[in-house]
Amino acid sequence: MNRICIFVSFLSAIFLLEGCTSRKEPSTGLPSLKELRADSISIPPVLLSVTRLFVVNNMLVAYEQRKDTMFSFWKLPECNYLFSAGCRGDGPNDFLMLDRTFQATPHGFKTFELSSSRIKEVAIDSMGLFKVLSNKQLEVEQGGLNRFLFLEDDSYCFISDKEEYEYTLLDKHKGVCDFSSYPEGLLRKEQDELNRFVYNKLTVASPKGDKFAAFYAYIKLCRIYNSKGELLEEQMLRQPDENISEEKHIYYSSYPYADENYIYILTDEEEGKILEIWNWEGALVSRYLLDKPVDCLAASSANGKVYAVCQEREDVIYTYNIP
């Protein structure tokens, strides 16, 4: 009887040890930090509170949610101003408040209207064409679909309203399902505080929609999922301090940008504003210390450049050449 008890205790200890070591330890082998200097392109002072930059059909697009005309278009690579379009309103080519996610299409882009849960597809060209081609109503019970992502095969992902899950997947074949447990225990949580606020994060999908990435604001944690909601990779760069102060340090506050090969995201460190470049295997491949306090960016793989703006300057677009 004693031998059986000892054997059971031994097995329990093994299982406990495996459970404690399942999460990856913080990575210590960071890429060396290199400095990048910007080229400044002077523009008319037309940019106001840009909340998202993206590239479509060799045009840089600035989404300015506070303006009545919400989009401005710039010819690449010179960043020559083309036109502005997309008014705020209820008209056939108008928009209500949009989530900050945009998916390029052969004719323009798709976007998601937060207040109506509608997907709008827009056709644009450099000659000034701007037209809403389709207006699709999503049939979901949950309201306010934050961190909305376009995934492959007409599937969509957004933050779940359930406390035990991070995300909801809307699959046209399987319907609605929730997935992914929160990385609980890493941050202090008040009694009535919701996980979605404690583990606030920024998300971005690959252009094909076969994967998406999540970057956590208060811990340097990156997770990579496939379009079915399966966790593929997890990489932690910094463990939260044991002496947690009232004020949490925000590492990731600017929306990431992604192309087929890489994810570009800004982070605030002691050295200053740093551009991190990740691949879709969940590895941090490059780190660049930027010379400007930019807070919004987009990348053009065709030009090998990153385009960025900052709230302090409404008359400049910065460009960085990525080695």
Side-chain angles (χ1 to χ4, degrees), residues 243-280:
N243 301 320
I244 301 175
S245 63
E246 291 295 328
E247 293 293 330
K248 298 177 183 177
H249 181 81
I250 302 175
Y251 295 106
Y252 296 119
S253 60
S254 302
Y255 270 70
Y257 189 84
D259 59 26
E260 292 183 357
N261 298 311
Y262 300 107
I263 309 162
Y264 307 81
I265 188 166
L266 297 168
T267 181
D268 294 307
E269 300 284 358
E270 293 180 1
E271 297 90 341
K273 188 73 71 171
I274 292 176
L275 169 62
E276 294 181 351
I277 301 180
W278 298 68
N279 63 23
W280 282 105

mmCIF file of all heavy atoms in Angstrom, residues 243-280:
data_model
loop_
_atom_site.group_PDB
_atom_site.id
_atom_site.type_symbol
_atom_site.label_atom_id
_atom_site.label_comp_id
_atom_site.label_asym_id
_atom_site.label_seq_id
_atom_site.Cartn_x
_atom_site.Cartn_y
_atom_site.Cartn_z
ATOM 1 N N ASN A 243 7.525 43.560 -8.453
ATOM 2 C CA ASN A 243 7.024 44.743 -7.748
ATOM 3 C C ASN A 243 6.168 45.569 -8.701
ATOM 4 O O ASN A 243 6.620 46.537 -9.298
ATOM 5 C CB ASN A 243 8.196 45.586 -7.211
ATOM 6 C CG ASN A 243 9.060 44.789 -6.251
ATOM 7 O OD1 ASN A 243 8.548 44.030 -5.441
ATOM 8 N ND2 ASN A 243 10.365 44.969 -6.353
ATOM 9 N N ILE A 244 4.933 45.136 -8.859
ATOM 10 C CA ILE A 244 4.039 45.783 -9.809
ATOM 11 C C ILE A 244 3.528 47.093 -9.229
ATOM 12 O O ILE A 244 2.946 47.135 -8.163
ATOM 13 C CB ILE A 244 2.853 44.864 -10.151
ATOM 14 C CG1 ILE A 244 3.375 43.548 -10.753
ATOM 15 C CG2 ILE A 244 1.911 45.537 -11.122
ATOM 16 C CD1 ILE A 244 2.292 42.540 -11.019
ATOM 17 N N SER A 245 3.766 48.181 -9.955
ATOM 18 C CA SER A 245 3.319 49.491 -9.501
ATOM 19 C C SER A 245 1.891 49.726 -9.956
ATOM 20 O O SER A 245 1.307 48.948 -10.703
ATOM 21 C CB SER A 245 4.240 50.579 -10.053
ATOM 22 O OG SER A 245 4.163 50.602 -11.463
ATOM 23 N N GLU A 246 1.319 50.811 -9.481
ATOM 24 C CA GLU A 246 -0.039 51.158 -9.877
ATOM 25 C C GLU A 246 -0.109 51.458 -11.374
ATOM 26 O O GLU A 246 -1.079 51.147 -12.029
ATOM 27 C CB GLU A 246 -0.515 52.380 -9.076
ATOM 28 C CG GLU A 246 -0.737 52.102 -7.589
ATOM 29 C CD GLU A 246 -1.869 51.116 -7.338
ATOM 30 O OE1 GLU A 246 -2.826 51.108 -8.146
ATOM 31 O OE2 GLU A 246 -1.790 50.352 -6.365
ATOM 32 N N GLU A 247 0.946 52.074 -11.908
ATOM 33 C CA GLU A 247 0.982 52.421 -13.316
ATOM 34 C C GLU A 247 1.680 51.310 -14.099
ATOM 35 O O GLU A 247 2.851 51.040 -13.906
ATOM 36 C CB GLU A 247 1.719 53.748 -13.522
ATOM 37 C CG GLU A 247 0.996 54.957 -12.948
ATOM 38 C CD GLU A 247 -0.304 55.250 -13.689
ATOM 39 O OE1 GLU A 247 -0.378 54.948 -14.897
ATOM 40 O OE2 GLU A 247 -1.230 55.762 -13.038
ATOM 41 N N LYS A 248 0.933 50.658 -14.987
ATOM 42 C CA LYS A 248 1.517 49.626 -15.823
ATOM 43 C C LYS A 248 2.285 50.276 -16.975
ATOM 44 O O LYS A 248 1.840 51.267 -17.543
ATOM 45 C CB LYS A 248 0.420 48.727 -16.400
ATOM 46 C CG LYS A 248 -0.382 47.970 -15.361
ATOM 47 C CD LYS A 248 -1.482 47.167 -16.059
ATOM 48 C CE LYS A 248 -2.349 46.448 -15.061
ATOM 49 N NZ LYS A 248 -3.475 45.720 -15.727
ATOM 50 N N HIS A 249 3.421 49.688 -17.288
ATOM 51 C CA HIS A 249 4.164 50.166 -18.448
ATOM 52 C C HIS A 249 3.528 49.595 -19.707
ATOM 53 O O HIS A 249 3.280 48.397 -19.804
ATOM 54 C CB HIS A 249 5.633 49.743 -18.376
ATOM 55 C CG HIS A 249 6.443 50.239 -19.533
ATOM 56 N ND1 HIS A 249 6.940 51.509 -19.584
ATOM 57 C CD2 HIS A 249 6.813 49.637 -20.699
ATOM 58 C CE1 HIS A 249 7.607 51.674 -20.722
ATOM 59 N NE2 HIS A 249 7.538 50.551 -21.416
ATOM 60 N N ILE A 250 3.243 50.457 -20.677
ATOM 61 C CA ILE A 250 2.647 50.023 -21.932
ATOM 62 C C ILE A 250 3.756 49.820 -22.951
ATOM 63 O O ILE A 250 4.415 50.771 -23.372
ATOM 64 C CB ILE A 250 1.624 51.061 -22.450
ATOM 65 C CG1 ILE A 250 0.520 51.283 -21.406
ATOM 66 C CG2 ILE A 250 1.019 50.593 -23.767
ATOM 67 C CD1 ILE A 250 -0.460 52.365 -21.792
ATOM 68 N N TYR A 251 3.974 48.580 -23.336
ATOM 69 C CA TYR A 251 5.013 48.263 -24.318
ATOM 70 C C TYR A 251 4.490 48.424 -25.738
ATOM 71 O O TYR A 251 5.174 48.962 -26.606
ATOM 72 C CB TYR A 251 5.521 46.832 -24.106
ATOM 73 C CG TYR A 251 6.227 46.638 -22.795
ATOM 74 C CD1 TYR A 251 5.618 45.959 -21.747
ATOM 75 C CD2 TYR A 251 7.505 47.147 -22.598
ATOM 76 C CE1 TYR A 251 6.264 45.773 -20.536
ATOM 77 C CE2 TYR A 251 8.168 46.969 -21.394
ATOM 78 C CZ TYR A 251 7.537 46.278 -20.366
ATOM 79 O OH TYR A 251 8.182 46.108 -19.170
ATOM 80 N N TYR A 252 3.295 47.909 -25.996
ATOM 81 C CA TYR A 252 2.718 47.966 -27.327
ATOM 82 C C TYR A 252 1.444 48.808 -27.289
ATOM 83 O O TYR A 252 0.475 48.449 -26.616
ATOM 84 C CB TYR A 252 2.383 46.572 -27.841
ATOM 85 C CG TYR A 252 3.578 45.668 -28.022
ATOM 86 C CD1 TYR A 252 3.688 44.478 -27.302
ATOM 87 C CD2 TYR A 252 4.597 45.998 -28.916
ATOM 88 C CE1 TYR A 252 4.779 43.634 -27.478
ATOM 89 C CE2 TYR A 252 5.693 45.163 -29.084
ATOM 90 C CZ TYR A 252 5.781 43.985 -28.362
ATOM 91 O OH TYR A 252 6.861 43.170 -28.536
ATOM 92 N N SER A 253 1.446 49.927 -28.003
ATOM 93 C CA SER A 253 0.278 50.797 -28.027
ATOM 94 C C SER A 253 -0.121 51.190 -29.440
ATOM 95 O O SER A 253 -1.216 51.709 -29.652
ATOM 96 C CB SER A 253 0.537 52.067 -27.207
ATOM 97 O OG SER A 253 1.644 52.782 -27.728
ATOM 98 N N SER A 254 0.744 50.948 -30.431
ATOM 99 C CA SER A 254 0.461 51.295 -31.822
ATOM 100 C C SER A 254 0.109 50.039 -32.599
ATOM 101 O O SER A 254 0.774 49.006 -32.446
ATOM 102 C CB SER A 254 1.674 51.971 -32.464
ATOM 103 O OG SER A 254 2.034 53.135 -31.749
ATOM 104 N N TYR A 255 -0.907 50.138 -33.428
ATOM 105 C CA TYR A 255 -1.365 48.963 -34.162
ATOM 106 C C TYR A 255 -0.259 48.408 -35.058
ATOM 107 O O TYR A 255 0.426 49.162 -35.761
ATOM 108 C CB TYR A 255 -2.578 49.317 -35.012
ATOM 109 C CG TYR A 255 -3.880 49.125 -34.281
ATOM 110 C CD1 TYR A 255 -4.235 49.966 -33.231
ATOM 111 C CD2 TYR A 255 -4.747 48.096 -34.617
ATOM 112 C CE1 TYR A 255 -5.427 49.794 -32.550
ATOM 113 C CE2 TYR A 255 -5.943 47.916 -33.941
ATOM 114 C CZ TYR A 255 -6.271 48.766 -32.903
ATOM 115 O OH TYR A 255 -7.441 48.588 -32.228
ATOM 116 N N PRO A 256 -0.074 47.085 -35.045
ATOM 117 C CA PRO A 256 0.935 46.483 -35.926
ATOM 118 C C PRO A 256 0.486 46.503 -37.381
ATOM 119 O O PRO A 256 -0.696 46.657 -37.689
ATOM 120 C CB PRO A 256 1.044 45.043 -35.400
ATOM 121 C CG PRO A 256 -0.264 44.782 -34.735
ATOM 122 C CD PRO A 256 -0.746 46.097 -34.197
ATOM 123 N N TYR A 257 1.463 46.326 -38.257
ATOM 124 C CA TYR A 257 1.199 46.234 -39.690
ATOM 125 C C TYR A 257 1.847 44.953 -40.187
ATOM 126 O O TYR A 257 2.922 44.570 -39.713
ATOM 127 C CB TYR A 257 1.773 47.440 -40.436
ATOM 128 C CG TYR A 257 1.336 47.503 -41.884
ATOM 129 C CD1 TYR A 257 0.119 48.074 -42.221
ATOM 130 C CD2 TYR A 257 2.121 46.962 -42.901
ATOM 131 C CE1 TYR A 257 -0.310 48.119 -43.542
ATOM 132 C CE2 TYR A 257 1.704 46.999 -44.215
ATOM 133 C CZ TYR A 257 0.489 47.582 -44.533
ATOM 134 O OH TYR A 257 0.057 47.621 -45.829
ATOM 135 N N ALA A 258 1.210 44.274 -41.150
ATOM 136 C CA ALA A 258 1.720 42.984 -41.597
ATOM 137 C C ALA A 258 1.715 42.886 -43.108
ATOM 138 O O ALA A 258 0.814 43.393 -43.780
ATOM 139 C CB ALA A 258 0.878 41.851 -41.004
ATOM 140 N N ASP A 259 2.737 42.217 -43.640
ATOM 141 C CA ASP A 259 2.721 41.774 -45.021
ATOM 142 C C ASP A 259 2.836 40.254 -45.019
ATOM 143 O O ASP A 259 2.683 39.617 -43.976
ATOM 144 C CB ASP A 259 3.812 42.459 -45.855
ATOM 145 C CG ASP A 259 5.221 42.214 -45.335
ATOM 146 O OD1 ASP A 259 5.440 41.170 -44.682
ATOM 147 O OD2 ASP A 259 6.107 43.040 -45.591
ATOM 148 N N GLU A 260 3.095 39.649 -46.165
ATOM 149 C CA GLU A 260 3.092 38.193 -46.247
ATOM 150 C C GLU A 260 4.222 37.560 -45.443
ATOM 151 O O GLU A 260 4.110 36.412 -45.014
ATOM 152 C CB GLU A 260 3.187 37.744 -47.709
ATOM 153 C CG GLU A 260 1.938 38.075 -48.524
ATOM 154 C CD GLU A 260 2.022 37.552 -49.932
ATOM 155 O OE1 GLU A 260 3.085 36.984 -50.289
ATOM 156 O OE2 GLU A 260 1.048 37.704 -50.687
ATOM 157 N N ASN A 261 5.315 38.296 -45.233
ATOM 158 C CA ASN A 261 6.485 37.722 -44.583
ATOM 159 C C ASN A 261 6.711 38.203 -43.156
ATOM 160 O O ASN A 261 7.213 37.452 -42.322
ATOM 161 C CB ASN A 261 7.741 38.029 -45.409
ATOM 162 C CG ASN A 261 7.677 37.424 -46.797
ATOM 163 O OD1 ASN A 261 7.363 36.252 -46.958
ATOM 164 N ND2 ASN A 261 7.969 38.228 -47.808
ATOM 165 N N TYR A 262 6.332 39.461 -42.859
ATOM 166 C CA TYR A 262 6.728 40.055 -41.592
ATOM 167 C C TYR A 262 5.597 40.838 -40.939
ATOM 168 O O TYR A 262 4.621 41.235 -41.587
ATOM 169 C CB TYR A 262 7.930 40.985 -41.794
ATOM 170 C CG TYR A 262 9.152 40.295 -42.343
ATOM 171 C CD1 TYR A 262 9.549 40.500 -43.658
ATOM 172 C CD2 TYR A 262 9.890 39.427 -41.545
ATOM 173 C CE1 TYR A 262 10.669 39.858 -44.171
ATOM 174 C CE2 TYR A 262 11.014 38.780 -42.048
ATOM 175 C CZ TYR A 262 11.391 38.997 -43.361
ATOM 176 O OH TYR A 262 12.488 38.353 -43.848
ATOM 177 N N ILE A 263 5.790 41.071 -39.642
ATOM 178 C CA ILE A 263 4.904 41.919 -38.850
ATOM 179 C C ILE A 263 5.749 43.055 -38.298
ATOM 180 O O ILE A 263 6.835 42.830 -37.746
ATOM 181 C CB ILE A 263 4.279 41.138 -37.681
ATOM 182 C CG1 ILE A 263 3.638 39.836 -38.182
ATOM 183 C CG2 ILE A 263 3.248 41.991 -36.951
ATOM 184 C CD1 ILE A 263 3.391 38.823 -37.083
ATOM 185 N N TYR A 264 5.262 44.277 -38.437
ATOM 186 C CA TYR A 264 5.984 45.469 -37.997
ATOM 187 C C TYR A 264 5.197 46.095 -36.853
ATOM 188 O O TYR A 264 4.015 46.403 -36.990
ATOM 189 C CB TYR A 264 6.102 46.478 -39.146
ATOM 190 C CG TYR A 264 6.694 45.900 -40.409
ATOM 191 C CD1 TYR A 264 5.908 45.157 -41.290
ATOM 192 C CD2 TYR A 264 8.032 46.106 -40.739
ATOM 193 C CE1 TYR A 264 6.435 44.622 -42.454
ATOM 194 C CE2 TYR A 264 8.564 45.576 -41.905
ATOM 195 C CZ TYR A 264 7.762 44.833 -42.756
ATOM 196 O OH TYR A 264 8.299 44.301 -43.915
ATOM 197 N N ILE A 265 5.867 46.319 -35.712
ATOM 198 C CA ILE A 265 5.175 46.887 -34.569
ATOM 199 C C ILE A 265 6.121 47.794 -33.786
ATOM 200 O O ILE A 265 7.325 47.504 -33.659
ATOM 201 C CB ILE A 265 4.595 45.775 -33.652
ATOM 202 C CG1 ILE A 265 3.709 46.374 -32.566
ATOM 203 C CG2 ILE A 265 5.692 44.883 -33.079
ATOM 204 C CD1 ILE A 265 2.853 45.363 -31.835
ATOM 205 N N LEU A 266 5.583 48.900 -33.287
ATOM 206 C CA LEU A 266 6.348 49.847 -32.485
ATOM 207 C C LEU A 266 6.234 49.497 -31.017
ATOM 208 O O LEU A 266 5.174 49.072 -30.544
ATOM 209 C CB LEU A 266 5.838 51.269 -32.715
ATOM 210 C CG LEU A 266 5.981 51.820 -34.129
ATOM 211 C CD1 LEU A 266 5.167 53.100 -34.284
ATOM 212 C CD2 LEU A 266 7.441 52.065 -34.468
ATOM 213 N N THR A 267 7.315 49.695 -30.291
ATOM 214 C CA THR A 267 7.302 49.468 -28.853
ATOM 215 C C THR A 267 8.057 50.597 -28.154
ATOM 216 O O THR A 267 8.995 51.176 -28.722
ATOM 217 C CB THR A 267 7.924 48.104 -28.500
ATOM 218 O OG1 THR A 267 7.880 47.904 -27.082
ATOM 219 C CG2 THR A 267 9.354 48.000 -28.962
ATOM 220 N N ASP A 268 7.636 50.930 -26.944
ATOM 221 C CA ASP A 268 8.265 51.995 -26.165
ATOM 222 C C ASP A 268 9.190 51.379 -25.125
ATOM 223 O O ASP A 268 8.747 50.637 -24.245
ATOM 224 C CB ASP A 268 7.198 52.852 -25.483
ATOM 225 C CG ASP A 268 6.345 53.612 -26.488
ATOM 226 O OD1 ASP A 268 6.926 54.306 -27.329
ATOM 227 O OD2 ASP A 268 5.109 53.496 -26.431
ATOM 228 N N GLU A 269 10.472 51.688 -25.246
ATOM 229 C CA GLU A 269 11.482 51.183 -24.320
ATOM 230 C C GLU A 269 12.267 52.354 -23.743
ATOM 231 O O GLU A 269 12.066 53.510 -24.138
ATOM 232 C CB GLU A 269 12.422 50.209 -25.049
ATOM 233 C CG GLU A 269 11.735 48.996 -25.646
ATOM 234 C CD GLU A 269 11.356 47.962 -24.610
ATOM 235 O OE1 GLU A 269 11.658 48.165 -23.420
ATOM 236 O OE2 GLU A 269 10.756 46.932 -24.994
ATOM 237 N N GLU A 270 13.180 52.054 -22.830
ATOM 238 C CA GLU A 270 13.999 53.101 -22.227
ATOM 239 C C GLU A 270 14.834 53.827 -23.276
ATOM 240 O O GLU A 270 15.068 55.034 -23.169
ATOM 241 C CB GLU A 270 14.916 52.487 -21.165
ATOM 242 C CG GLU A 270 14.178 51.930 -19.947
ATOM 243 C CD GLU A 270 15.136 51.352 -18.936
ATOM 244 O OE1 GLU A 270 16.367 51.398 -19.177
ATOM 245 O OE2 GLU A 270 14.666 50.846 -17.906
ATOM 246 N N GLU A 271 15.272 53.123 -24.309
ATOM 247 C CA GLU A 271 16.105 53.738 -25.345
ATOM 248 C C GLU A 271 15.309 54.707 -26.211
ATOM 249 O O GLU A 271 15.864 55.621 -26.800
ATOM 250 C CB GLU A 271 16.724 52.655 -26.238
ATOM 251 C CG GLU A 271 17.662 51.700 -25.522
ATOM 252 C CD GLU A 271 16.917 50.492 -24.984
ATOM 253 O OE1 GLU A 271 15.683 50.547 -24.831
ATOM 254 O OE2 GLU A 271 17.596 49.482 -24.713
ATOM 255 N N GLY A 272 14.001 54.496 -26.309
ATOM 256 C CA GLY A 272 13.162 55.336 -27.148
ATOM 257 C C GLY A 272 12.169 54.498 -27.923
ATOM 258 O O GLY A 272 11.778 53.401 -27.515
ATOM 259 N N LYS A 273 11.773 55.005 -29.077
ATOM 260 C CA LYS A 273 10.813 54.309 -29.938
ATOM 261 C C LYS A 273 11.550 53.269 -30.771
ATOM 262 O O LYS A 273 12.464 53.593 -31.527
ATOM 263 C CB LYS A 273 10.103 55.302 -30.848
ATOM 264 C CG LYS A 273 8.961 54.719 -31.633
ATOM 265 C CD LYS A 273 7.743 54.431 -30.769
ATOM 266 C CE LYS A 273 7.067 55.703 -30.316
ATOM 267 N NZ LYS A 273 5.771 55.477 -29.654
ATOM 268 N N ILE A 274 11.123 52.008 -30.641
ATOM 269 C CA ILE A 274 11.798 50.908 -31.317
ATOM 270 C C ILE A 274 10.818 50.216 -32.259
ATOM 271 O O ILE A 274 9.672 49.943 -31.899
ATOM 272 C CB ILE A 274 12.366 49.898 -30.297
ATOM 273 C CG1 ILE A 274 13.512 50.539 -29.512
ATOM 274 C CG2 ILE A 274 12.845 48.628 -30.989
ATOM 275 C CD1 ILE A 274 14.080 49.679 -28.421
ATOM 276 N N LEU A 275 11.288 49.956 -33.475
ATOM 277 C CA LEU A 275 10.539 49.173 -34.441
ATOM 278 C C LEU A 275 10.992 47.727 -34.340
ATOM 279 O O LEU A 275 12.167 47.421 -34.532
ATOM 280 C CB LEU A 275 10.779 49.700 -35.861
ATOM 281 C CG LEU A 275 10.263 48.827 -37.011
ATOM 282 C CD1 LEU A 275 8.748 48.672 -36.956
ATOM 283 C CD2 LEU A 275 10.716 49.378 -38.358
ATOM 284 N N GLU A 276 10.043 46.840 -34.029
ATOM 285 C CA GLU A 276 10.313 45.405 -34.009
ATOM 286 C C GLU A 276 9.739 44.776 -35.283
ATOM 287 O O GLU A 276 8.624 45.100 -35.696
ATOM 288 C CB GLU A 276 9.676 44.737 -32.795
ATOM 289 C CG GLU A 276 10.262 45.162 -31.469
ATOM 290 C CD GLU A 276 9.616 44.463 -30.291
ATOM 291 O OE1 GLU A 276 8.591 43.771 -30.469
ATOM 292 O OE2 GLU A 276 10.129 44.618 -29.158
ATOM 293 N N ILE A 277 10.506 43.879 -35.879
ATOM 294 C CA ILE A 277 10.041 43.142 -37.047
ATOM 295 C C ILE A 277 10.043 41.650 -36.702
ATOM 296 O O ILE A 277 11.078 41.089 -36.352
ATOM 297 C CB ILE A 277 10.917 43.416 -38.277
ATOM 298 C CG1 ILE A 277 10.920 44.920 -38.600
ATOM 299 C CG2 ILE A 277 10.415 42.625 -39.481
ATOM 300 C CD1 ILE A 277 11.765 45.295 -39.802
ATOM 301 N N TRP A 278 8.867 41.044 -36.768
ATOM 302 C CA TRP A 278 8.653 39.633 -36.464
ATOM 303 C C TRP A 278 8.331 38.883 -37.748
ATOM 304 O O TRP A 278 7.797 39.469 -38.689
ATOM 305 C CB TRP A 278 7.492 39.450 -35.491
ATOM 306 C CG TRP A 278 7.675 40.076 -34.149
ATOM 307 C CD1 TRP A 278 7.720 41.412 -33.838
ATOM 308 C CD2 TRP A 278 7.825 39.383 -32.912
ATOM 309 N NE1 TRP A 278 7.880 41.593 -32.491
ATOM 310 C CE2 TRP A 278 7.951 40.369 -31.895
ATOM 311 C CE3 TRP A 278 7.852 38.044 -32.553
ATOM 312 C CZ2 TRP A 278 8.095 40.031 -30.544
ATOM 313 C CZ3 TRP A 278 7.998 37.700 -31.215
ATOM 314 C CH2 TRP A 278 8.133 38.693 -30.227
ATOM 315 N N ASN A 279 8.627 37.583 -37.758
ATOM 316 C CA ASN A 279 8.140 36.764 -38.866
ATOM 317 C C ASN A 279 6.903 35.993 -38.420
ATOM 318 O O ASN A 279 6.520 36.033 -37.245
ATOM 319 C CB ASN A 279 9.237 35.838 -39.415
ATOM 320 C CG ASN A 279 9.716 34.813 -38.384
ATOM 321 O OD1 ASN A 279 9.016 34.473 -37.432
ATOM 322 N ND2 ASN A 279 10.927 34.325 -38.582
ATOM 323 N N TRP A 280 6.286 35.290 -39.341
ATOM 324 C CA TRP A 280 5.030 34.591 -39.037
ATOM 325 C C TRP A 280 5.262 33.252 -38.347
ATOM 326 O O TRP A 280 4.310 32.513 -38.088
ATOM 327 C CB TRP A 280 4.198 34.429 -40.300
ATOM 328 C CG TRP A 280 3.504 35.697 -40.673
ATOM 329 C CD1 TRP A 280 3.814 36.559 -41.681
ATOM 330 C CD2 TRP A 280 2.377 36.273 -39.996
ATOM 331 N NE1 TRP A 280 2.956 37.634 -41.679
ATOM 332 C CE2 TRP A 280 2.059 37.482 -40.664
ATOM 333 C CE3 TRP A 280 1.603 35.887 -38.900
ATOM 334 C CZ2 TRP A 280 1.013 38.310 -40.266
ATOM 335 C CZ3 TRP A 280 0.560 36.704 -38.500
ATOM 336 C CH2 TRP A 280 0.269 37.892 -39.169
#
